[in-house]
Amino acid sequence: MDTGFVTTPFGRRPMSLALMRGQLQAESVKPDKSVDKWKVFRDVCEARPLLDISDRTLAVLNALLSFYPENRLSGEASMVVFPSNRQLIVRAHGIAVTTLRRHLAALVDAGLIIRKDSANGKRFARRKTSGELEDAYGFSLAPLLARSEELAAMAQKIEADRIALRRARERLTICRRDVRKLIDAAIGDAVPGNWDEIEAAYARHLACLPRNPKASDLDSVRLKFEELRTDIVNLLTNFDNFKKTTASVVQNEPHIQNSDIDSLELESAPVVQVETLPIASGTVRLDGSQKIFPLALILQACPQMSDYAQGGSIRGWRDLVTTAVTVRSMLGITPETYQAACESLGRENAAVVIACMLERATHINSPGGYLRDLTRKGARGEFSLGPMLMALARQNSPVARKA
């Protein structure tokens, strides 16, 4: 009756094509071939993922190699080791006998050793009367010698993959940090843009990474971050060019020279005749920090200011400054408090603060005290318009209003 076993010179074992190929490969080893057994073992350790064996299996292989008396595996000598299970268990750090058998079978299946069983299945050596080894039954290490070049190549591939993975992770980390720094810098400098959507894209790209990514996975995500970085750099470049253009225009724009606040309230001349800047090109420069905010951004953040402007719209900075005088009076801020803010922050900046306060009027208990506090912080260099404007711009953006 066919039991699925084939009797071979290496014992009675279930035979497969893979095992047969391994036996034939071991038999074809040239007598003059030799290799350091511990070098082969290191290659096997490196190639473990490709061989699909565990670290406990490697411990058993290490124990088997320790029973081979020579440091080099050679085709001229017998490469059969024949330790008992008890001896193997001791050198394999005391594993259970059932565990030992399972890992020995794993080594055979991986093609790293071959069983050479005796007629009774025992492991032993037969020696001549002179003491020379005549024959041995146990485990043959010949496959390690026969596959030494293959195992070395597998180890090199694993190492190359490890290096590629490390470099891919480093490139992704650098790119991700660049994008994070650019986003923070843009928000800090109040660069116009849909930064909520950009932040969402940043988080979405990170979420694409699997728990144990391969180099190809990391490169794929890095390309997405590079595209996002390019988009942010374009926004920053366009904004920088816009600042240079509008800054030169603002320098030539007619400025209000009269520092008397009440004179602005009495001024009745049409401001449209002297204002030539369109809304999109209006800017304000923060003293000292040299940050520029487009008037369009300010009007998006503070749309209520237009309701108090002459003619119902603000077309330039003179309109905004004049409207701020009206609004400060409505908020109950005294001319002296507003004058101090203009002297500390600058007339245009003070007008922007009034516009922001108008948007948050229901949350401010004492507008005069609030403005005096901001004025003192501005004098100490502790106040910045950027976060205030950007928060209101996001709150009053078309997307936020739809939501």
Side-chain angles (χ1 to χ4, degrees):
M1 185 174 94
D2 186 4
T3 61
F5 288 80
V6 177
T7 301
T8 71
F10 303 100
R12 197 169 185 273
R13 293 289 298 161
M15 182 55 62
S16 67
L17 292 177
L19 288 176
M20 179 63 73
R21 282 195 298 268
Q23 291 176 2
L24 294 176
Q25 187 179 22
E27 292 175 351
S28 64
V29 175
K30 296 181 179 179
D32 59 345
K33 183 177 181 180
S34 68
V35 66
D36 187 292
K37 65 178 182 181
W38 298 119
K39 179 183 181 304
V40 177
F41 179 72
R42 288 192 296 270
D43 290 340
V44 172
C45 292
E46 288 288 338
R48 183 170 67 87
L50 296 179
L51 294 170
D52 194 24
I53 56 178
S54 68
D55 52 350
R56 298 294 296 275
T57 304
L58 289 177
V60 174
L61 179 60
N62 181 79
L64 286 173
L65 286 171
S66 68
F67 285 101
Y68 187 75
E70 305 296 332
N71 283 329
R72 300 186 68 84
L73 298 173
S74 174
E76 295 180 347
S78 172
M79 287 176 282
V80 176
V81 293
F82 41 91
S84 66
N85 284 346
R86 183 182 298 275
Q87 292 173 319
L88 273 176
I89 287 172
V90 171
R91 295 199 187 184
H93 312 296
I95 62 176
V97 65
T98 54
T99 304
L100 175 65
R101 291 182 180 132
R102 186 171 68 252
H103 290 302
L104 287 172
L107 289 171
V108 173
D109 293 339
L112 298 177
I113 62 173
I114 297 176
R115 294 180 185 271
K116 185 179 179 183
D117 293 338
S118 62
N120 60 4
K122 301 294 183 179
R123 300 174 207 145
F124 64 91
R126 181 180 293 113
R127 299 181 182 275
K128 300 177 182 179
T129 54
S130 60
E132 183 181 353
L133 186 65
E134 179 180 0
D135 204 355
Y137 299 94
F139 300 102
S140 173
L141 303 177
L144 293 176
L145 177 61
R147 300 180 62 188
S148 58
E149 293 86 356
E150 177 192 355
L151 294 171
M154 294 170 69
Q156 291 173 4
K157 182 181 185 304
I158 291 293
E159 179 63 19
D161 291 344
R162 185 182 297 114
I163 293 174
L165 181 64
R166 184 177 69 249
R167 290 177 178 173
R169 184 177 287 111
E170 290 173 352
R171 289 193 295 265
L172 173 59
T173 300
I174 292 172
C175 185
R176 179 183 59 80
R177 288 177 180 172
D178 287 347
V179 172
R180 182 71 268 167
K181 290 178 181 178
L182 287 172
I183 292 176
D184 292 342
I187 294 177
D189 289 345
V191 177
N194 194 346
W195 298 109
D196 289 339
E197 183 177 337
I198 292 176
E199 286 276 14
Y202 178 91
R204 189 167 58 250
H205 295 339
L206 283 180
C208 290
L209 283 173
R211 182 179 296 272
N212 295 310
K214 300 178 181 177
S216 58
D217 298 324
L218 296 172
D219 288 336
S220 176
V221 174
R222 176 178 56 82
L223 291 176
K224 295 179 181 178
F225 272 108
E226 287 181 351
E227 293 178 0
L228 186 60
R229 180 174 60 186
T230 300
D231 293 340
I232 297 173
V233 169
N234 289 338
L235 284 173
L236 295 177
T237 302
N238 293 337
F239 182 65
D240 186 60
N241 294 335
F242 173 76
K243 286 198 302 182
K244 292 177 181 178
T245 303
T246 54
S248 62
V249 175
V250 169
Q251 290 175 358
N252 299 323
E253 180 185 12
H255 290 277
I256 300 173
Q257 300 296 330
N258 191 346
S259 61
D260 186 1
I261 294 297
D262 291 329
S263 69
L264 283 174
E265 295 177 290
L266 300 174
E267 185 178 356
S268 60
V271 295
V272 177
Q273 297 178 3
V274 298
E275 180 59 62
T276 59
L277 288 177
I279 289 179
S281 63
T283 58
V284 62
R285 184 181 298 273
L286 294 181
D287 297 337
S289 63
Q290 301 298 310
K291 293 181 180 178
I292 296 178
F293 298 98
L295 184 58
L297 173 64
I298 296 169
L299 295 180
Q300 175 187 330
C302 310
Q304 295 185 49
M305 280 295 284
S306 298
D307 298 336
Y308 299 90
Q310 183 178 357
S313 64
I314 295 176
R315 292 176 289 271
W317 283 105
R318 189 180 180 92
D319 286 352
L320 182 66
V321 171
T322 304
T323 304
V325 175
T326 303
V327 173
R328 74 92 187 147
S329 178
M330 183 199 72
L331 293 175
I333 299 173
T334 64
E336 294 77 15
T337 300
Y338 186 57
Q339 176 65 26
C342 290
E343 292 174 353
S344 176
L345 305 176
R347 186 178 300 276
E348 291 84 357
N349 296 339
V352 175
V353 171
I354 292 295
C356 293
M357 290 177 63
L358 177 62
E359 292 296 320
R360 304 284 295 172
T362 57
H363 302 277
I364 300 175
N365 294 327
S366 175
Y370 184 80
L371 183 59
R372 284 192 294 272
D373 183 57
L374 293 184
T375 300
R376 287 191 293 269
K377 290 182 178 179
R380 297 193 300 266
E382 299 175 356
F383 171 64
S384 173
L385 274 173
M388 181 186 296
L389 274 176
M390 293 307 297
L392 289 172
R394 287 193 292 268
Q395 173 184 319
N396 294 320
S397 66
V399 176
R401 286 198 295 270
K402 288 180 181 180

